[in-house]
Amino acid sequence: MSMSFSSYTVPISDSFTGRPVSLCPSARKISVPVTAIYSFPANNFPSVIDGRLVHYGGAANFCRRFCGLKLWILESLNLRQHNRKSGQANEFKSLKIQDKDELTDHLETTLPDEKASAINLPNDSIEEPVKTHSQPEQNSLHNSQSDVFTKVTAPMEFASSLLQTHASNFAVQGGSTPSLCIAVIGATGELARRKIFPALFALYYSGFLPENVGIFGYSRKNLTDDDLRSIIGSTLTCRIDHQQNCGDKMDAFLSRTYYINGGYDNRIGMSKLNARMEQVEGESESNRIFYLSVPQEALLDVASCLADNAQTRKGWNRIIIEKPFGFDAPSSCQLTQSLLSKFEEKQIYRIDHLLGRNLIENLTVLRFSNLVFEPLWSRTYIRSVQVILSEDLGIQKGRYFDGYGIIRDIVHSHILQTIALLAMEPPISLDGEDIRNEKVKALRSIQKLGLGDVILGQYKASSEDKVDVYVNNLTPTFFAAALYIDNARWDGVPFLINAGMGLIKHRVEIRIQFRHVPGNIYRECIGHNINLATNELILRDAPDEAILVKVNNKIPGLGLQLDASELNMLYKEKYNVEVPDSYEHLLLDVIDGDNHLFMRSDELAAAWNILTPVLHEIDNNNIVPELYELGGRGPVGAYYLWAKHGVRWLDD
């Protein structure tokens, strides 16, 4: 059969005339015959006001109104036939683009609340249809509890393609979305004010948090919502590279921020937090993230009370825990068992902000997506690996550093996780658990540290120096060590750690030194020190993020003289973008459920097993840290340690 409009005939298959179309909020399906479409009452036809198509009426009439919409589209195509000056094929292509743009700009519909809400249509280019097929499309209706699906099927080479293209974006704005609530426990602390809340706002400003997100601050201080908003408002900034609507976004974010005075009984406090969250969430599906920015001694009580009184039953719950994760292997094991008695492993995210740096994320990319590096990544070609983290005088650790020291604060998590990512075998996928499986294998293969392979140091400071002077006599502020991995890939390759505070400059980098060229025919042209001509791959995070490759080349001019030069890629020159803070990166990973940069319980245990023997020697006063000048290069013993393992100290 066919339908005829003026001089233009559109063929329609018989199957289309009686196909059920589910458009209404109710569960009923209706069959729309062609005669019903053709005889659609004029007084119910959509009106065109000021160039905009508007439907009037309630939800009960929505099905019939959509039929009118289809008729309007077909008649629009028919009317444009009179302006055709070229062949029919060109006419169809032109009409597709024109009608698509017209619908994008002008189509509106009114739903049961009698308010007109816009229907968004794409503005992409439309390919010429080759084959049409039935495709369900999802539509979101205002004040509707069920999704609405429409199936529009017709073997029309052009009209069916146009309808399907628009139907794919027939989402009516205003529908509810799953709620996300983020609670910062310890909201008035320095970490929360300086890092966590600014990172959350940056994600909100960039569109990575839902508009209806709820931000909750929890502490023991007697504050109001406005007090918390005033405290964190001064710390919020917008991106340098795009500051549109900065003030409006900031006001919107602060309006979604609430404060809960937990008092000194966390059970009561967490119940109050839960009640406030439920008030904001309403009846919708809800997910919750709890950031535990609290001291180690308060962690278990807070986590236990949270688990019993503040978890939602309408979605997932995730908790973020700050380092250090215990003091040694036994205390860490006890902490882990206590947490796992209240939470599942997949709910726990142990955060180390240093692991959110772009350098760490780039390790696996460089290794597994570049053929030039992966075949060389073994003892056959690599002579040594150095992981360097030196903080200068501007880094303030405060009283927190006393009692923990650099081993528990930096080496246990950041340094060992970096080595695990460098040394692990290729994971079977980028799934977080697959990457964690390979990391824990690498950590378990590392030999336990002996005292002969460790150098500890502590800077000399006085009250006149603007640095932490609260460290006791045994708290190390410098750590150097040589690690060996007992597996086929890395047997005999030293992984050298150099981590210290109060040094001459701020530097974070990984240096991978390759072996000498066997039988090098240019040996006499290199000079007296062949180590200077060794190839290196340098991954630098600070002071300027860069990837450098050290190679040998001929110096221009007469004669033959070689020089070691660096091929460099500076990020600030290559990418003109603002680099997000590491807390932004890691918080977004928690929201997305990506856990590959967070330590699992077995990774935690494997790392403590490496360091616990040295920590016990320190606690038993069997090791005395070597003093070094504040603002210097660190203990002299570190140079001897490098020489012991046949590696040159690569300062610059």
Side-chain angles (χ1 to χ4, degrees), residues 35-68:
T35 56
I37 299 176
Y38 185 79
S39 61
F40 194 84
N43 59 345
N44 287 330
F45 195 74
S47 302
V48 178
I49 303 175
D50 295 329
R52 303 178 68 83
L53 179 69
V54 180
H55 282 280
Y56 297 95
N61 295 325
F62 186 79
C63 301
R64 292 187 293 110
R65 311 242 178 256
F66 187 77
C67 298

Side-chain angles (χ1 to χ4, degrees), residues 315-446:
W316 46 255
N317 298 274
R318 293 168 184 161
I319 64 168
I320 304 174
I321 300 173
E322 274 283 348
K323 64 179 183 179
F325 314 112
F327 294 91
D328 52 18
S331 63
S332 177
C333 180
Q334 182 180 0
L335 175 63
T336 298
Q337 290 177 352
S338 298
L339 290 173
L340 291 179
S341 68
K342 296 292 185 179
F343 301 95
E344 298 179 28
E345 180 68 53
K346 65 180 181 180
Q347 293 180 266
I348 303 172
Y349 288 75
R350 300 174 180 88
I351 191 171
D352 181 349
H353 72 280
L354 292 173
L355 294 175
R357 303 290 296 176
N358 189 64
L359 168 68
I360 302 301
E361 189 74 5
N362 212 16
L363 286 179
T364 52
V365 175
L366 286 172
R367 277 196 61 184
F368 303 124
S369 68
N370 293 286
L371 185 60
V372 68
F373 294 132
E374 177 57 23
L376 308 179
W377 219 262
S378 70
R379 61 186 296 273
T380 305
Y381 298 102
I382 293 179
R383 181 185 179 189
S384 67
V385 177
Q386 298 183 43
V387 180
I388 302 169
L389 191 153
S390 65
E391 304 284 14
D392 58 16
L393 302 180
I395 304 299
Q396 302 290 324
K397 300 301 291 185
R399 290 181 181 271
Y400 160 79
F401 201 70
D402 187 20
Y404 294 93
I406 198 167
I407 299 176
R408 294 181 173 99
D409 180 46
I410 294 177
V411 176
H412 170 261
S413 54
H414 171 63
I415 298 294
L416 290 184
Q417 283 288 296
T418 301
I419 291 175
L421 288 168
L422 276 167
M424 71 179 186
E425 295 298 316
I428 61 175
S429 76
L430 292 178
D431 180 75
E433 293 304 319
D434 292 334
I435 295 176
R436 285 166 136 187
N437 291 339
E438 299 304 329
K439 285 196 298 178
V440 75
K441 290 178 185 177
L443 291 172
R444 286 173 176 168
S445 300
I446 296 177

